[in-house]
Amino acid sequence: DAVVTHRFQEQREAVEQGREHEFDCTVQRIDHVFQGHSPANEPITHCNRSWIDTGACFRGGRLTFIEIDEWLK
């Protein structure tokens, strides 16, 4: 859904710019969400969400890997 995708992108941009206090982006009843689709310069984590798309496919960015088992310890 385009509206949901736009909202996720807004939240990710706010976190990148140090404005995370503007959003409570916690996904209810979920331990953690790893997501992509909206590239960032670096992986970002805020609340229980991590944006891990660093633009490897379309912007010539780096490919990001997350070891989920290690991250969740």
Side-chain angles (χ1 to χ4, degrees):
D1 176 273
V3 173
V4 171
T5 299
H6 178 70
R7 184 71 173 157
F8 285 162
Q9 185 172 350
E10 273 187 326
Q11 291 171 348
R12 191 240 338 131
E13 289 172 356
V15 172
E16 267 190 316
Q17 297 167 4
R19 299 181 294 114
E20 59 272 357
H21 61 278
E22 294 179 12
F23 292 98
D24 176 12
C25 60
T26 303
V27 178
Q28 302 300 314
R29 298 183 302 276
I30 299 288
D31 291 332
H32 200 87
V33 176
F34 294 91
Q35 61 194 55
H37 186 69
S38 297
N41 293 327
E42 298 287 330
I44 301 167
T45 297
H46 180 62
C47 301
N48 66 341
R49 293 170 53 187
S50 294
W51 290 267
I52 61 171
D53 186 341
T54 50
C57 185
F58 296 107
R59 295 189 330 179
R62 296 184 330 253
L63 182 60
T64 300
F65 290 90
I66 300 289
E67 284 192 54
I68 294 174
D69 291 340
E70 290 296 316
W71 194 92
L72 293 175
K73 285 184 180 180

